[in-house]
Structure formats: structure tokens, C-alpha cells
Amino acid sequence: MNRVADKPADLKERLDAERRGLPFVVFRDSAGTQRIVTLDSSRDELTVGRAEECDIRIEGDAEVSRLHALLTRRGGSWTVADAGLSRNGTFLNGERVRGHRVLRGRDVLRAGLTEIRFFDPTPERTRTVTTHAPLATPAISPAQRKVLVALCAPYKGHSAFATPASNEDIAAQLVLSVDAVKSHLRALFIKFGLEGLPRTQKRIRLAEEAFARGVVRDSDLDEDRRP
């Protein structure tokens, strides 16, 4: 369930949500449509489950209980708790939740067969991005664009929340050295204004920015990128 292709429009929608600077969760409904729920300061607790009254309603997943879990804001951080609410348990990054667990950016929750990903925009991101600013297209070389398209290749025909290609995969696809790939990526991080982000977030953000700014399109991923 929920294993559908992650479209460029989905990436842009998530990027727009991050630009608002508030934590949010992302999941797919029974039709495969991406759903985003913002966790704003007006609520300290949100319910997760199959019932119509739930704040984060997961329809069509028989493994999800009517009231499955709670997301609670404590001291500025969001936590997840199950406390025996569900039949089948709630899982955080593959481990069953017992008691309250603090959520961190890009954590993956599973309720039944449904994946729910938690996003928490970083302070660097919210300080440097203007919510309503137009998405400028940075000038990149043809070689840098080839690396960028290869980085985004896993988003074609894969499940939601695919991850960018590794340096080794990009090097093999483009017949480059790994050092050359790293050099191109460093330049791309600077051109897209991502050099201040944590290392673990840069590659995913670069792919999201590439789709959001139109530098890479879904049709590009059908092309043979070998020299």
C-alpha cells in the first residue's frame, strides 16, 4: 500500500510546506494521493487513525485502528505515542513505539500499512528562504546538469520518498570518477544555496530543489544520460 511513484509535483508540494517553516507530516491516502498535515502551534495534540474524527485520517487501511496513535507537542518538540491504542502497533523507523518517542526531521512512522513521514524545517532553512520568493533557476553547466539528473534518477517509477542516487551510482552511470561527482555536487550545493544544511539532508534537498525549480523534469529521467 502507498507504493506509488513520487511525482515532481509531490516534491514541490513538500518543499512549499517546508517553506512555511512549520513541522508537518506526509502520507498517501488509499488512492495514492499525497496528503500533507501541518502541525501548527494552535494544537498540542493530533489524533491518528481510521475514524472520521481523527486529525490525521488514514482511510482504506484495514490494519489501522479507528484511533491508532497520538502526536503530541511537548516543550517545542513533537512526540508520537501509541499507549496500546492500536491493534497492530505504531512503528518509528522500524521500531515499535512504546510510551512517547520524540520525532526528528525525516523520521518515518508506520501505522498499519501506511507510512507517515515527519518533516521539521531546519532553522537554517527558515531563516534563509522567503516564503513567497520566486524560485530562481541557478546557472549550471551541462556537466553539472547531467550529475543532477543522475542524482534524481531514483525518483522515476519508484515508491514515495525515494532517495537520491549515490555518488557511486552516478559515477557508473556517467562514466566519471567518484571524486568528479563529489566536485560537481559541491558546486551544485553552493549554487542552490544548500551548503549550510547538514550533510545528511543536502542530497535530498538538492533533488527537491531541482524539481521545484524546473531544472530537472520527470521527462528528463527517461533519457539515456550516458556520454
Side-chain angles (χ1 to χ4, degrees):
M1 189 173 182
N2 299 329
R3 298 295 180 181
V4 297
D6 206 19
K7 301 176 182 177
D10 295 330
L11 295 173
K12 184 178 186 304
E13 187 180 15
R14 295 203 295 270
L15 183 59
D16 289 342
E18 289 204 44
R19 289 177 183 276
R20 291 192 283 271
L22 296 172
F24 61 96
V25 295
V26 179
F27 65 99
R28 291 189 181 274
D29 63 19
S30 57
T33 302
Q34 176 174 269
R35 300 294 182 189
I36 294 178
V37 178
T38 300
L39 310 179
D40 60 41
S41 58
S42 66
R43 298 284 304 274
D44 287 332
E45 185 174 272
L46 286 87
T47 53
V48 180
R50 208 161 27 88
E52 186 175 351
E53 299 80 9
C54 286
D55 301 301
I56 301 173
R57 189 184 181 197
I58 303 174
E59 301 178 79
D61 187 342
E63 300 296 317
V64 173
S65 299
R66 287 182 57 78
L67 177 58
H68 197 98
L70 298 174
L71 297 184
T72 306
R73 189 161 61 94
R74 292 184 166 189
S77 296
W78 282 94
T79 69
V80 60
D82 187 312
L85 294 172
S86 68
R87 299 188 311 271
N88 300 311
T90 303
F91 295 81
L92 174 61
N93 299 328
E95 296 183 3
R96 186 158 187 161
V97 173
R98 302 186 188 282
H100 284 266
R101 295 282 301 275
V102 175
L103 296 174
R104 304 188 186 283
R106 301 187 185 278
D107 276 348
V108 179
L109 294 165
R110 181 169 61 80
L113 302 176
T114 301
E115 286 187 355
I116 305 170
R117 183 155 297 204
F118 174 76
F119 287 81
D120 190 2
T122 64
E124 291 85 357
R125 189 68 183 172
T126 57
R127 281 199 302 267
T128 58
V129 176
T130 302
T131 302
H132 300 294
L135 295 175
T137 302
I140 62 176
S141 70
Q144 288 168 349
R145 188 175 185 279
K146 285 184 178 181
V147 168
L148 194 52
V149 171
L151 179 81
C152 297
Y155 290 95
K156 179 65 177 180
H158 281 61
S159 65
F161 314 122
T163 57
S166 68
N167 291 340
E168 290 76 14
D169 287 342
I170 296 171
Q173 181 180 340
L174 300 180
V175 194
L176 294 172
S177 69
V178 172
D179 285 342
V181 172
K182 289 180 178 178
S183 178
H184 285 310
L185 287 174
R186 281 194 295 269
L188 288 166
F189 293 146
I190 293 171
K191 290 186 175 185
F192 281 82
L194 306 175
E195 66 272 24
L197 290 180
R199 182 174 59 85
T200 55
Q201 296 183 19
K202 285 181 179 178
R203 300 170 71 85
I204 294 174
R205 178 71 65 195
L206 181 58
E208 292 174 344
E209 290 277 3
F211 283 120
R213 298 177 189 230
V215 180
V216 175
R217 296 179 173 83
D218 198 41
S219 58
D220 295 326
L221 306 184
D222 290 324
E223 299 176 11
D224 183 358
R225 308 310 301 178
R226 292 182 182 275

